[in-house]
Amino acid sequence: MEKTLYTITVYTENFVGLLNQITIIFTRRQINIESLTVSKSSIPGIHKFTITAETDLEMVKKVVKQIEKRIDVLKAFYHTDDDVIYQEVALYKIGAEAMLDNPEIESIVRKYNARILEVNRSYGVLELSGHTEDTQELFERLKEFHVLQFVRSGRIAITKSTVERLSDFLAEMEARNPEHQCKK
Amino acid sequence: MEKKIMKGAEALMCSLIEENVNTIFGYPGGQIITVFDALYSYRDSFQYILTRHEQGAIHAAQGYARVSGDTGVVIVTSGPGATNVITGLADAMLDSTPLVVITGQVGASLLGSDAFQETDVIGVTQPITKWSYQIRKASEIPWAVARAFYIAREGRPGPVVLDLTKDAQSEMVEFSYKKCIFIRSYQPYPELQPENIAQAAEMINKAKRPMALVGQGVLLGHAEEELKAFLTKADIPAGSTLLGLSALSSDFSLYKGLLGMHGNLGPNKKTAECDVLIAIGMRFDDRVTGDLKKYAKQAKVIHFDIDTSEIDKNVKTSVAVLGNAKETLPAVTELLQPARHTAWIQSFEACEKEEMERVIIPEIMPIAGPITMGEVVNRVSEATNHEAILVTDVGQNQMIAARYFKFSRSRSMITSGGLGTMGFGLPASIGAALGAPERRVCFFTGDGGIQMTLQELGTIMQYKIPVKIIILNNNFLGMVRQWQELFYRERYSSTPMNNPDFPKIAEAYGIAGKKVTKREDLDDAIEEMLKDNKAYLLEVEVEENGMVYPMIPAGTSVDQIILGD
Ligand SMILES: Cc1ncc(C[n+]2csc(CCOP(=O)(O)OP(=O)(O)O)c2C)c(N)n1
Ligand SMILES: [Mg+2]
């Protein structure tokens, strides 16, 4: 089956050890995680994982079910790039001399819509958000100025759909809570 | 309720009482000693079984859980105590057995320091448990225990580990208990889907050659009667997985036998002929399906399961009926039209006849030559009126026992299915005897497997556990020998075994026993073994070159089943 880059988003309770529980599901099936971002979600107490991995549709469905099967996972979803708006952040560190000696860097910054985060006597730091190809392109463009460091974050993504699946899910689950039902 | 201040260890005892635990299997040690001290104060509240090895404790708890339907409870120390239960956890995970395993752990301040007997129990157990959690504060104990029992028991059952740090055991806490009835991130029972139920019923109503595959889900859901009603109404023949055995009694007219690698000819071959395949609480293990690429391709597949992740995992389904079989089966049954599939059901008979002549008769009624495993199993089954609980180890003994032991009551077959753990049987039989004290337990094992957990004879001695141990001794790691004979040009690498005098070992433990080498002595020996309700070890010298047939060689398809020569 055809391989595609999928974005898998996972919402979990905030317990120690969930990252391991989720990543071993990929490892066991020989799927390489391309990028991983973990942070608090907009809902207090709930963490969000955004994972990208290249695999086929059948496998991504199985993986998502296996992730959801973990007790402290609330919900997991998979998306193709078409379903989401996504972004990464990249940082580029360039020596101060190169920055000062090459005025074209400024036009590059403008052209790519990058930002200058810091310039000091030793180096300057540029920032660009975009897709992998964009941040990579800027890296290639800056190579001749001797990039001292280049880092890229994992992907973060927002769905295009208008349904807020997690909040719906939470409401649905809470409605199931017997205690809740007793109170009513 | 009046609140009491107590140590964490005592809070653990009180929590276990709140969960109606009455039997605990375990083994003490330095990092769990405070819990065992509390257990001493509560010794009248629990039946406590000290096994001779932690692996024995967890397998015993598995046997206990599987016959009783209750959650098995194990308490062991940190480090080696915890690592000794790993095999049992993996086994219980694959075989969906509800367990709560409490491991001691070093004090929270020492975590991560490579302290004496510190093992990363959570890290090690996460992939082989339904849930594992480290308790570092006494105040978390009631919450974690309540959650552990809920998770182990509800939905598809499984093992849970609670890793309890030493300081949490001795810290003082005000005890109050609240049972867990809801976890927002866990939905143990998927909501019934009326559409799928209707679709499944329609598919079955239209079927000309329907066939059901019965798995352990039926036993776990206590849906035996619902299953019978379902099969009877639409006249559907059924095969059983290894773990589904005893859900239908052996003489139930629509029961057509065991599925899988060493199962019966009929149910295996007919999976390649049926038009609608109805899987109920089973997971299409490769030992059942053989080559998936050729498995039941002609059939529409209906899959009843409680675990969403099982749907389409191995076999693509046409309709998934999610939920507890106890609810989903009657819901579908109600929509079924009574049907008769006489010709289809009769078509099993040719297979039955062929298997009877070529395999079964020679195996259970040989006229000459060494004793066979099958005749021992058959006679013990008859002598116990097919009412006993069968416990097996792993290997040829297991397959022959599964094939020839008969069942008239549910929850009567305890075996390590998914993991195939040699050494599982002896401790599991202890647990089975404790979990169903009114029933007789017959445990069949091999000369290899019994020696993997042989020390549990000590547990049998100490607690006077009335298990009947039958060693089918072929002086070989027989199942591996069989593969070597068939697929490795009879190169018997590492499979012949020199064995001790087993009844003498039993004698050292005060357990009566006998060794039988001749056919004519077998019946008397079985009678002697069964004459009272005490432990007994019967060693039977059986055919060294015995083979288990039929066989679906690994990787071939179910209709390529072979009957031997
Ligand atoms: C712990 C473990 N180790 C190895 C195996 C592989 N294995 C499966 S069956 C078998 C032979 C069992 O020999 P025995 O207990 O004598 O039973 P028999 O097949 O002869 O009845 C072996 C080694 C296993 N299943 N479990
Ligand atoms: Mg053997």
Side-chain angles (χ1 to χ4, degrees):
Chain A
M1 247 179 138
E2 207 183 320
K3 291 212 168 177
T4 315
L5 186 73
Y6 285 97
T7 303
I8 296 148
T9 49
V10 185
Y11 294 89
T12 74
E13 296 291 357
N14 182 16
F15 283 136
V16 180
L18 270 153
L19 178 60
N20 183 45
Q21 291 188 51
I22 292 167
T23 55
I24 54 181
I25 290 169
F26 290 84
T27 319
R28 205 176 142 191
R29 291 165 183 80
Q30 291 276 317
I31 303 169
N32 201 9
I33 292 177
E34 302 288 338
S35 82
L36 168 71
T37 310
V38 191
S39 63
K40 288 181 185 166
S41 78
S42 57
I43 303 164
I46 292 179
H47 269 56
K48 179 174 181 177
F49 293 64
T50 308
I51 302 163
T52 60
E54 222 169 74
T55 184
D56 60 52
L57 179 61
E58 207 171 290
M59 184 57 90
V60 77
K61 283 185 183 170
K62 286 183 196 177
V63 163
V64 162
K65 281 192 200 167
Q66 292 297 330
I67 293 173
E68 269 189 2
K69 190 169 164 173
R70 300 309 304 172
I71 300 290
D72 297 319
V73 169
L74 287 147
K75 203 77 192 136
F77 306 100
Y78 66 90
H79 314 277
T80 60
D81 286 356
D82 293 341
D83 307 334
V84 286
I85 293 166
Y86 57 96
Q87 204 72 316
E88 295 168 2
V89 181
L91 302 177
Y92 311 76
K93 182 166 153 186
I94 298 168
E97 258 169 55
M99 288 283 273
L100 297 171
D101 295 351
N102 295 289
E104 55 189 303
I105 288 185
E106 201 199 317
S107 65
I108 295 172
V109 166
R110 279 180 201 284
K111 185 180 157 212
Y112 282 87
N113 253 329
R115 282 207 303 155
I116 298 172
L117 290 186
E118 155 114 29
V119 186
N120 58 36
R121 254 176 246 170
S122 326
Y123 57 82
V125 176
L126 310 183
E127 180 217 285
L128 178 70
S129 343
H131 294 179
T132 312
E133 309 84 72
D134 309 327
T135 55
Q136 185 66 28
E137 195 183 311
L138 178 59
F139 175 61
E140 302 296 337
R141 186 68 193 79
L142 291 171
K143 258 187 184 165
E144 64 180 281
F145 311 112
H146 196 64
V147 179
L148 300 172
Q149 277 184 47
F150 167 48
V151 288
R152 187 152 50 206
S153 73
R155 172 183 286 195
I156 52 170
I158 269 179
T159 52
K160 290 181 183 170
S161 131
T162 48
V163 201
E164 284 315 313
R165 291 198 274 181
L166 182 71
S167 26
D168 291 356
F169 170 79
L170 281 177
E172 199 184 300
M173 283 306 275
E174 274 311 331
R176 245 179 259 239
N177 186 347
E179 269 176 34
H180 195 84
Q181 287 171 349
C182 291
K183 270 183 223 147
K184 266 196 231 157
Chain B
M1 197 180 78
E2 178 203 352
K3 285 187 179 165
K4 243 183 95 184
I5 307 270
M6 57 178 74
K7 274 190 187 176
E10 188 178 349
L12 176 64
M13 294 300 125
C14 295
S15 303
L16 295 176
I17 291 171
E18 293 281 346
E19 292 295 336
N20 300 318
V21 172
N22 47 43
T23 304
I24 299 172
F25 301 89
Y27 211 100
Q31 307 299 347
I32 195 77
I33 192 164
T34 314
V35 166
F36 276 84
D37 187 62
L39 182 58
Y40 193 75
S41 312
Y42 282 80
R43 60 190 181 277
D44 295 334
S45 305
F46 305 104
Q47 175 180 35
Y48 171 73
I49 306 294
L50 170 69
T51 55
R52 296 302 181 261
H53 187 294
E54 289 88 351
Q55 185 185 358
I58 191 163
H59 290 330
Q62 290 177 269
Y64 179 89
R66 279 172 57 179
V67 296
S68 66
D70 295 338
T71 300
V73 178
V74 178
I75 305 180
V76 296
T77 193
S78 69
T83 55
N84 275 346
V85 300
I86 297 298
T87 305
L89 289 172
D91 196 297
M93 185 70 172
L94 276 172
D95 283 355
S96 311
T97 310
L99 296 181
V100 171
V101 177
I102 296 147
T103 55
Q105 182 55 281
V106 301
S109 63
L110 292 172
L111 285 166
S113 72
D114 296 330
F116 179 63
Q117 297 193 328
E118 183 199 357
T119 301
D120 177 7
V121 171
I122 300 302
V124 171
T125 59
Q126 261 177 353
I128 49 169
T129 51
K130 200 169 164 189
W131 192 59
S132 58
Y133 186 80
Q134 188 171 66
I135 306 174
R136 299 178 186 198
K137 288 201 241 47
S139 58
E140 281 187 335
I141 291 174
W143 169 83
V145 172
R147 215 165 188 267
F149 277 87
Y150 178 82
I151 292 168
R153 173 185 71 221
E154 301 296 329
R156 179 175 179 177
V160 170
V161 164
L162 294 176
D163 195 36
L164 184 59
T165 62
K166 180 140 186 167
D167 43 337
Q169 297 168 34
S170 41
E171 197 185 338
M172 300 304 286
V173 60
E174 196 179 275
F175 180 76
S176 74
Y177 200 82
K178 201 161 138 242
K179 275 210 169 192
C180 177
I181 48 169
F182 173 74
I183 295 175
R184 69 171 175 179
S185 59
Y186 177 47
Q187 192 182 342
Y189 303 99
E191 229 151 77
L192 295 193
Q193 299 160 298
E195 277 156 59
N196 295 23
I197 287 168
Q199 264 183 34
E202 194 188 325
M203 210 172 262
I204 296 168
N205 282 336
K206 285 193 186 141
K208 298 269 175 311
R209 298 181 308 281
M211 178 171 161
L213 311 178
V214 175
Q216 195 193 194
V218 172
L219 293 162
L220 293 171
H222 303 278
E224 296 90 340
E225 289 309 316
E226 289 77 4
L227 172 66
K228 260 203 254 176
F230 168 80
L231 297 174
T232 307
K233 186 164 181 191
D235 204 26
I236 304 170
S240 172
T241 68
L242 185 64
L243 293 193
L245 284 176
S246 82
L248 293 171
S249 69
S250 307
D251 61 5
F252 178 64
S253 63
L254 290 166
Y255 176 63
K256 298 295 166 197
L258 178 66
L259 295 161
M261 185 174 265
H262 294 292
N264 293 107
L265 202 53
N268 276 315
K269 280 200 150 173
K270 296 294 167 181
T271 19
E273 290 174 27
C274 61
D275 61 352
V276 176
L277 189 66
I278 307 149
I280 308 162
M282 57 85 75
R283 60 185 175 87
F284 293 108
D285 180 82
D286 57 275
R287 285 318 193 236
V288 162
T289 63
D291 183 5
L292 272 179
K293 286 196 230 57
K294 297 189 194 128
Y295 183 75
K297 287 293 170 208
Q298 81 293 345
K300 293 199 178 107
V301 178
I302 301 173
H303 194 169
F304 288 74
D305 212 290
I306 201 163
D307 177 355
T308 316
S309 76
E310 287 301 338
I311 307 301
D312 293 337
K313 187 185 81 179
N314 294 337
V315 171
K316 275 257 173 240
T317 46
S318 310
V319 183
V321 184
L322 289 170
N324 186 343
K326 186 141 188 105
E327 289 170 46
T328 51
L329 280 173
V332 174
T333 307
E334 202 178 319
L335 304 178
L336 292 181
Q337 282 143 17
R340 286 286 156 263
H341 301 288
T342 315
W344 162 239
I345 290 169
Q346 270 171 6
S347 75
F348 281 74
E349 281 170 19
C351 295
E352 280 159 18
K353 186 160 173 281
E354 187 182 8
E355 183 176 350
M356 185 60 83
E357 282 166 12
R358 289 185 56 193
V359 180
I360 300 176
I361 298 286
E363 179 65 40
I364 66 174
M365 291 175 207
I367 8 189
I371 304 176
T372 64
M373 288 189 182
E375 64 183 312
V376 185
V377 170
N378 184 46
R379 290 198 199 184
V380 173
S381 185
E382 277 175 357
T384 51
N385 216 5
H386 315 304
E387 282 167 356
I389 292 175
L390 168 67
V391 181
T392 82
D393 207 75
V394 166
Q396 292 183 316
N397 61 84
Q398 173 188 37
M399 290 299 121
I400 294 283
R403 285 179 54 79
Y404 299 112
F405 208 82
K406 295 203 169 73
F407 307 99
S408 58
R409 295 177 62 176
S410 173
R411 289 184 177 270
S412 296
M413 164 61 162
I414 311 301
T415 194
S416 167
L419 200 64
T421 306
M422 279 174 73
F424 171 84
L426 186 61
S429 71
I430 294 171
L434 290 163
E438 72 296 346
R439 298 189 62 190
R440 173 156 260 163
V441 175
C442 295
F443 162 50
F444 287 89
T445 182
D447 44 312
I450 183 103
Q451 294 188 72
M452 282 208 172
T453 45
L454 187 61
Q455 70 283 351
E456 299 308 333
L457 290 175
T459 313
I460 291 175
M461 171 179 71
Q462 180 166 349
Y463 300 98
K464 304 189 172 49
I465 312 280
V467 289
K468 308 297 181 183
I469 303 161
I470 302 121
I471 304 179
L472 301 171
N473 185 1
N474 51 11
N475 290 307
F476 261 104
L477 298 175
M479 186 54 93
V480 181
R481 196 207 65 81
Q482 170 162 351
W483 285 48
Q484 288 169 334
E485 179 177 330
L486 292 172
F487 314 118
Y488 289 86
R489 293 187 290 122
E490 301 181 30
R491 287 154 56 87
Y492 296 126
S493 174
S494 193
T495 45
M497 292 228 286
N498 284 359
N499 283 313
D501 183 333
F502 289 109
K504 259 201 182 147
I505 293 179
E507 193 192 335
Y509 284 100
I511 298 169
K514 180 169 254 164
K515 175 167 180 154
V516 169
T517 55
K518 290 200 225 81
R519 177 163 291 119
E520 54 269 31
D521 299 334
L522 187 59
D523 281 339
D524 286 349
I526 291 172
E527 197 180 315
E528 182 184 319
M529 169 174 82
L530 297 174
K531 74 172 191 295
D532 58 19
N533 200 24
K534 289 191 184 129
Y536 193 95
L537 185 148
L538 176 63
E539 177 187 353
V540 185
E541 207 173 85
V542 297
E543 164 72 292
E544 280 200 352
N545 301 315
M547 303 285 272
V548 187
Y549 285 120
M551 180 175 190
I552 303 167
T556 66
S557 63
V558 285
D559 53 350
Q560 285 171 288
I561 189 163
I562 53 175
L563 288 175
D565 31 45

